[in-house]
Structure formats: C-alpha cells, structure tokens
Amino acid sequence: MCQGSRLRVVCLAGPSDAGKTSLVERLVPRLAETGRVATVKSIHHDIEIDTPGTDTHRHRTAGAETVVGVTPALTFEVTTRGKRNPPDPDDAESLLESDDPEIRALTSSLERLARCGYDTVIVEGFADAPLPTVLVGDRDASAVGGTVVGRGDDPIDELVETIRGLDKLDASTDIAEHPSDEPTE
C-alpha cells in the first residue's frame, strides 16, 4: 500500500541531446543501491504509449481516465490527465498555488510516488520546476527554476553523493509552496 510522504527529488535540465537520459541511466542503478528510485520524464509532444486495438487502449478510448495494465513482468498506468489537463491536487493548498499546468502535473506525479514509498525521484526535463537541479550540456543556471546542485559532467560518484545528501521534500507541499532560490553555479 502506498503511504509514504517524503522523497528526495532532483531535476536534470539541459537542451535536447545533451545527455540527460544517459546520465539518468548512470544515476539510477547507483541510487537504487540504497533505496527505491523512480523517474519522471517531461515529453513535449504527444505520443501513443498504448498500442491501438489492445484491450487497455480500448478501455482508455471508451472513457476510462486511468487504465492499469498488469503483465507477468510489468505493471503500467496510462492516465488521460497530462500537462494540458493535470489531475486535481491531493492537497488543494499545494497545487493551486501554481498556475503552470506542467508544474501541477509534475507535482501530482511526485505526490503519487511519495505515497508509494519511493526514496529518490530523478526528473528529466521540467527545467522550470523549483527543484534541486543538475545542469546537463550548455544550459545556463539562470534558465532553470531550481537551485543548481551539480553539472552533468561532474564525476558520477560526486553526483550520487550530492543527490543522496539532498533534503527530502514533503511532496504535497514543498514543491509547489516554496519558490526556488536564486540559481547558483
């Protein structure tokens, strides 16, 4: 049962093809050595992640807001509430403070992951989020919404320790309520 409420969150921000996903692939196994890790990826264009004609796709197109598929090896969830129409907040105070639907959608996802007991979440994209941020590529610190805590070309051991040392957030309040500090290098 999902019931946790605090998790460590770090954002990876940089231009396309800067190496964000490659860095995620290097960070996840290292961070997973000491706890549960989830990732959230910002996608800026519509994609179809459920094969048309399958039962789960048919459930969704029939009008289900959320469809959960359980296979022998994987469980997946498809929800119709993305960036354009994020879900209602769990805590009205936390999400309604942000008018940005992208940040509201991210906050809702982080709340769900926190309730499920994840320890660390790596967010790829969402550069405007007021989260501790690792800059990847030639992104400037002034172009992100959070405090810069590292760079993608820092040694992996240093990045892992930096992330492990981040304060855990109360996902239902900290993300939306606290404006970011001035980004620093």
Side-chain angles (χ1 to χ4, degrees):
M1 180 174 174
C2 298
Q3 53 187 306
S5 65
R6 297 182 63 78
L7 70 166
R8 185 175 296 109
V9 183
V10 66
C11 181
L12 305 184
S16 293
D17 296 323
K20 296 180 301 291
T21 301
S22 295
L23 183 55
V24 169
E25 291 175 319
R26 294 174 56 213
L27 288 170
V28 167
R30 296 288 303 278
L31 294 167
E33 292 171 359
T34 58
R36 295 180 68 206
V37 178
T39 64
V40 177
K41 168 71 173 119
S42 177
I43 301 172
H44 299 289
H45 57 279
D46 286 330
I47 62 170
E48 181 56 62
I49 57 170
D50 193 13
T51 306
T54 62
D55 290 348
T56 53
H57 185 267
R58 291 172 61 192
H59 294 186
R60 183 169 51 90
T61 58
E65 183 176 315
T66 299
V67 176
V68 177
V70 181
T71 75
L74 299 171
T75 299
F76 64 93
E77 177 181 314
V78 179
T79 301
T80 60
R81 308 300 296 267
K83 293 177 187 178
R84 287 189 201 114
N85 187 19
D88 290 332
D90 292 334
D91 174 353
E93 292 296 314
S94 70
L95 289 179
L96 296 178
E97 290 189 31
S98 176
D99 292 332
D100 183 344
E102 184 169 308
I103 300 300
R104 288 179 54 215
L106 172 62
T107 303
S108 178
S109 294
L110 293 174
E111 288 173 345
R112 189 171 61 254
L113 293 169
R115 285 191 310 273
C116 290
Y118 285 91
D119 299 298
T120 304
V121 178
I122 299 173
V123 175
E124 182 180 336
F126 294 98
D128 292 335
L131 296 168
T133 301
V134 174
L135 294 177
V136 181
D138 61 2
R139 177 71 42 108
D140 186 72
S142 64
V144 299
T147 301
V148 175
V149 297
R151 293 206 167 263
D153 56 3
D154 290 347
I156 194 73
D157 291 337
E158 287 180 23
L159 286 174
V160 167
E161 288 310 309
T162 296
I163 294 167
R164 284 184 179 149
L166 294 173
D167 290 336
K168 288 192 173 190
L169 301 175
D170 182 337
S172 66
T173 58
D174 286 347
I175 296 158
E177 284 184 5
H178 300 298
S180 65
D181 297 328
E182 282 296 308
T184 59
E185 297 264 357

